[in-house]
PDB file of all heavy atoms in Angstrom:
ATOM      1  N   LEU A  42     105.804  90.376  62.172  1.00  0.00           N
ATOM      2  CA  LEU A  42     104.426  90.279  62.630  1.00  0.00           C
ATOM      3  C   LEU A  42     103.528  89.595  61.608  1.00  0.00           C
ATOM      4  O   LEU A  42     102.546  88.943  61.965  1.00  0.00           O
ATOM      5  CB  LEU A  42     103.875  91.680  62.926  1.00  0.00           C
ATOM      6  CG  LEU A  42     104.631  92.526  63.958  1.00  0.00           C
ATOM      7  CD1 LEU A  42     103.886  93.840  64.178  1.00  0.00           C
ATOM      8  CD2 LEU A  42     104.808  91.781  65.275  1.00  0.00           C
ATOM      9  N   VAL A  43     103.856  89.741  60.334  1.00  0.00           N
ATOM     10  CA  VAL A  43     103.003  89.209  59.275  1.00  0.00           C
ATOM     11  C   VAL A  43     102.969  87.685  59.303  1.00  0.00           C
ATOM     12  O   VAL A  43     101.915  87.068  59.082  1.00  0.00           O
ATOM     13  CB  VAL A  43     103.467  89.720  57.893  1.00  0.00           C
ATOM     14  CG1 VAL A  43     102.645  89.081  56.778  1.00  0.00           C
ATOM     15  CG2 VAL A  43     103.353  91.241  57.824  1.00  0.00           C
ATOM     16  N   ARG A  48     104.062  85.482  68.136  1.00  0.00           N
ATOM     17  CA  ARG A  48     103.341  84.477  68.915  1.00  0.00           C
ATOM     18  C   ARG A  48     104.200  83.269  69.274  1.00  0.00           C
ATOM     19  O   ARG A  48     103.718  82.332  69.914  1.00  0.00           O
ATOM     20  CB  ARG A  48     102.093  84.024  68.144  1.00  0.00           C
ATOM     21  CG  ARG A  48     101.055  85.133  67.975  1.00  0.00           C
ATOM     22  CD  ARG A  48      99.763  84.614  67.397  1.00  0.00           C
ATOM     23  NE  ARG A  48      99.916  84.184  66.003  1.00  0.00           N
ATOM     24  CZ  ARG A  48      99.804  84.982  64.953  1.00  0.00           C
ATOM     25  NH1 ARG A  48      99.552  86.265  65.134  1.00  0.00           N
ATOM     26  NH2 ARG A  48      99.943  84.519  63.725  1.00  0.00           N
ATOM     27  N   ASN A 118      95.567  98.715  64.476  1.00  0.00           N
ATOM     28  CA  ASN A 118      96.733  97.837  64.407  1.00  0.00           C
ATOM     29  C   ASN A 118      96.378  96.497  63.754  1.00  0.00           C
ATOM     30  O   ASN A 118      95.217  96.204  63.476  1.00  0.00           O
ATOM     31  CB  ASN A 118      97.396  97.660  65.777  1.00  0.00           C
ATOM     32  CG  ASN A 118      96.547  96.871  66.748  1.00  0.00           C
ATOM     33  OD1 ASN A 118      95.558  96.261  66.392  1.00  0.00           O
ATOM     34  ND2 ASN A 118      96.942  96.890  68.010  1.00  0.00           N
ATOM     35  N   LEU A 119      97.411  95.722  63.496  1.00  0.00           N
ATOM     36  CA  LEU A 119      97.254  94.518  62.685  1.00  0.00           C
ATOM     37  C   LEU A 119      96.264  93.523  63.282  1.00  0.00           C
ATOM     38  O   LEU A 119      95.429  92.967  62.566  1.00  0.00           O
ATOM     39  CB  LEU A 119      98.625  93.846  62.499  1.00  0.00           C
ATOM     40  CG  LEU A 119      98.643  92.544  61.704  1.00  0.00           C
ATOM     41  CD1 LEU A 119      98.176  92.778  60.271  1.00  0.00           C
ATOM     42  CD2 LEU A 119     100.063  91.942  61.712  1.00  0.00           C
ATOM     43  N   LYS A 120      96.324  93.308  64.597  1.00  0.00           N
ATOM     44  CA  LYS A 120      95.457  92.269  65.163  1.00  0.00           C
ATOM     45  C   LYS A 120      93.979  92.670  65.124  1.00  0.00           C
ATOM     46  O   LYS A 120      93.108  91.815  64.952  1.00  0.00           O
ATOM     47  CB  LYS A 120      95.893  91.900  66.580  1.00  0.00           C
ATOM     48  CG  LYS A 120      95.905  92.993  67.602  1.00  0.00           C
ATOM     49  CD  LYS A 120      96.524  92.469  68.900  1.00  0.00           C
ATOM     50  CE  LYS A 120      96.668  93.550  69.950  1.00  0.00           C
ATOM     51  NZ  LYS A 120      97.333  93.044  71.173  1.00  0.00           N
ATOM     52  N   VAL A 121      93.702  93.969  65.229  1.00  0.00           N
ATOM     53  CA  VAL A 121      92.316  94.417  65.114  1.00  0.00           C
ATOM     54  C   VAL A 121      91.819  94.252  63.683  1.00  0.00           C
ATOM     55  O   VAL A 121      90.719  93.743  63.446  1.00  0.00           O
ATOM     56  CB  VAL A 121      92.185  95.883  65.579  1.00  0.00           C
ATOM     57  CG1 VAL A 121      90.800  96.435  65.232  1.00  0.00           C
ATOM     58  CG2 VAL A 121      92.436  95.988  67.076  1.00  0.00           C
ATOM     59  N   LEU A 122      92.646  94.683  62.725  1.00  0.00           N
ATOM     60  CA  LEU A 122      92.234  94.547  61.321  1.00  0.00           C
ATOM     61  C   LEU A 122      92.083  93.085  60.908  1.00  0.00           C
ATOM     62  O   LEU A 122      91.184  92.730  60.148  1.00  0.00           O
ATOM     63  CB  LEU A 122      93.245  95.253  60.431  1.00  0.00           C
ATOM     64  CG  LEU A 122      92.926  96.712  60.067  1.00  0.00           C
ATOM     65  CD1 LEU A 122      91.674  96.790  59.206  1.00  0.00           C
ATOM     66  CD2 LEU A 122      92.763  97.583  61.315  1.00  0.00           C
ATOM     67  N   THR A 123      92.962  92.234  61.429  1.00  0.00           N
ATOM     68  CA  THR A 123      92.852  90.806  61.126  1.00  0.00           C
ATOM     69  C   THR A 123      91.548  90.236  61.671  1.00  0.00           C
ATOM     70  O   THR A 123      90.858  89.460  60.998  1.00  0.00           O
ATOM     71  CB  THR A 123      94.051  90.046  61.723  1.00  0.00           C
ATOM     72  OG1 THR A 123      95.256  90.541  61.134  1.00  0.00           O
ATOM     73  CG2 THR A 123      93.939  88.555  61.460  1.00  0.00           C
ATOM     74  N   HIS A 124      91.187  90.651  62.875  1.00  0.00           N
ATOM     75  CA  HIS A 124      89.927  90.179  63.470  1.00  0.00           C
ATOM     76  C   HIS A 124      88.727  90.682  62.667  1.00  0.00           C
ATOM     77  O   HIS A 124      87.783  89.928  62.399  1.00  0.00           O
ATOM     78  CB  HIS A 124      89.822  90.647  64.918  1.00  0.00           C
ATOM     79  CG  HIS A 124      88.606  90.134  65.626  1.00  0.00           C
ATOM     80  ND1 HIS A 124      88.537  88.866  66.164  1.00  0.00           N
ATOM     81  CD2 HIS A 124      87.395  90.704  65.863  1.00  0.00           C
ATOM     82  CE1 HIS A 124      87.344  88.676  66.709  1.00  0.00           C
ATOM     83  NE2 HIS A 124      86.635  89.782  66.539  1.00  0.00           N
ATOM     84  N   LEU A 125      88.770  91.963  62.270  1.00  0.00           N
ATOM     85  CA  LEU A 125      87.667  92.511  61.480  1.00  0.00           C
ATOM     86  C   LEU A 125      87.509  91.766  60.151  1.00  0.00           C
ATOM     87  O   LEU A 125      86.394  91.560  59.673  1.00  0.00           O
ATOM     88  CB  LEU A 125      87.904  93.994  61.223  1.00  0.00           C
ATOM     89  CG  LEU A 125      87.735  94.930  62.425  1.00  0.00           C
ATOM     90  CD1 LEU A 125      88.199  96.335  62.083  1.00  0.00           C
ATOM     91  CD2 LEU A 125      86.279  94.958  62.890  1.00  0.00           C
ATOM     92  N   LYS A 126      88.642  91.360  59.594  1.00  0.00           N
ATOM     93  CA  LYS A 126      88.603  90.649  58.311  1.00  0.00           C
ATOM     94  C   LYS A 126      88.121  89.216  58.476  1.00  0.00           C
ATOM     95  O   LYS A 126      87.220  88.757  57.760  1.00  0.00           O
ATOM     96  CB  LYS A 126      89.987  90.675  57.679  1.00  0.00           C
ATOM     97  CG  LYS A 126      90.090  89.927  56.362  1.00  0.00           C
ATOM     98  CD  LYS A 126      91.517  89.966  55.823  1.00  0.00           C
ATOM     99  CE  LYS A 126      91.647  89.157  54.538  1.00  0.00           C
ATOM    100  NZ  LYS A 126      93.045  89.174  54.016  1.00  0.00           N
ATOM    101  N   THR A 127      88.730  88.491  59.423  1.00  0.00           N
ATOM    102  CA  THR A 127      88.458  87.054  59.516  1.00  0.00           C
ATOM    103  C   THR A 127      87.176  86.735  60.281  1.00  0.00           C
ATOM    104  O   THR A 127      86.506  85.744  59.973  1.00  0.00           O
ATOM    105  CB  THR A 127      89.638  86.325  60.184  1.00  0.00           C
ATOM    106  OG1 THR A 127      89.833  86.850  61.502  1.00  0.00           O
ATOM    107  CG2 THR A 127      90.917  86.503  59.371  1.00  0.00           C
ATOM    108  N   GLN A 128      86.845  87.556  61.273  1.00  0.00           N
ATOM    109  CA  GLN A 128      85.685  87.258  62.100  1.00  0.00           C
ATOM    110  C   GLN A 128      84.449  88.087  61.751  1.00  0.00           C
ATOM    111  O   GLN A 128      83.334  87.657  62.004  1.00  0.00           O
ATOM    112  CB  GLN A 128      86.035  87.470  63.581  1.00  0.00           C
ATOM    113  CG  GLN A 128      87.209  86.645  64.065  1.00  0.00           C
ATOM    114  CD  GLN A 128      86.988  85.157  63.933  1.00  0.00           C
ATOM    115  OE1 GLN A 128      85.917  84.653  64.239  1.00  0.00           O
ATOM    116  NE2 GLN A 128      88.011  84.436  63.467  1.00  0.00           N
ATOM    117  N   MET A 129      84.661  89.263  61.194  1.00  0.00           N
ATOM    118  CA  MET A 129      83.548  90.161  60.912  1.00  0.00           C
ATOM    119  C   MET A 129      83.288  90.345  59.413  1.00  0.00           C
ATOM    120  O   MET A 129      82.355  91.035  59.018  1.00  0.00           O
ATOM    121  CB  MET A 129      83.796  91.532  61.550  1.00  0.00           C
ATOM    122  CG  MET A 129      84.196  91.476  63.013  1.00  0.00           C
ATOM    123  SD  MET A 129      82.913  90.771  64.082  1.00  0.00           S
ATOM    124  CE  MET A 129      81.683  92.061  64.022  1.00  0.00           C
ATOM    125  N   GLY A 130      84.158  89.737  58.579  1.00  0.00           N
ATOM    126  CA  GLY A 130      83.931  89.778  57.148  1.00  0.00           C
ATOM    127  C   GLY A 130      84.197  91.118  56.483  1.00  0.00           C
ATOM    128  O   GLY A 130      83.671  91.392  55.399  1.00  0.00           O
ATOM    129  N   LEU A 131      85.020  91.941  57.093  1.00  0.00           N
ATOM    130  CA  LEU A 131      85.320  93.247  56.510  1.00  0.00           C
ATOM    131  C   LEU A 131      86.124  93.073  55.228  1.00  0.00           C
ATOM    132  O   LEU A 131      87.132  92.364  55.200  1.00  0.00           O
ATOM    133  CB  LEU A 131      86.113  94.093  57.509  1.00  0.00           C
ATOM    134  CG  LEU A 131      86.191  95.597  57.234  1.00  0.00           C
ATOM    135  CD1 LEU A 131      84.808  96.238  57.366  1.00  0.00           C
ATOM    136  CD2 LEU A 131      87.164  96.263  58.197  1.00  0.00           C
ATOM    137  N   GLN A 136      88.386  97.741  55.066  1.00  0.00           N
ATOM    138  CA  GLN A 136      89.540  97.954  55.931  1.00  0.00           C
ATOM    139  C   GLN A 136      90.184  99.306  55.675  1.00  0.00           C
ATOM    140  O   GLN A 136      90.562 100.017  56.613  1.00  0.00           O
ATOM    141  CB  GLN A 136      90.570  96.847  55.695  1.00  0.00           C
ATOM    142  CG  GLN A 136      90.141  95.477  56.191  1.00  0.00           C
ATOM    143  CD  GLN A 136      91.171  94.422  55.869  1.00  0.00           C
ATOM    144  OE1 GLN A 136      92.299  94.478  56.346  1.00  0.00           O
ATOM    145  NE2 GLN A 136      90.801  93.462  55.033  1.00  0.00           N
TER     146      GLN A 136
END
Side-chain angles (χ1 to χ4, degrees):
L42 302 184
V43 176
R48 294 188 292 273
N118 69 12
L119 178 63
K120 59 187 176 183
V121 170
L122 267 294
T123 299
H124 184 81
L125 288 172
K126 178 182 177 181
T127 60
Q128 303 300 317
M129 310 297 290
L131 196 66
Q136 290 177 63

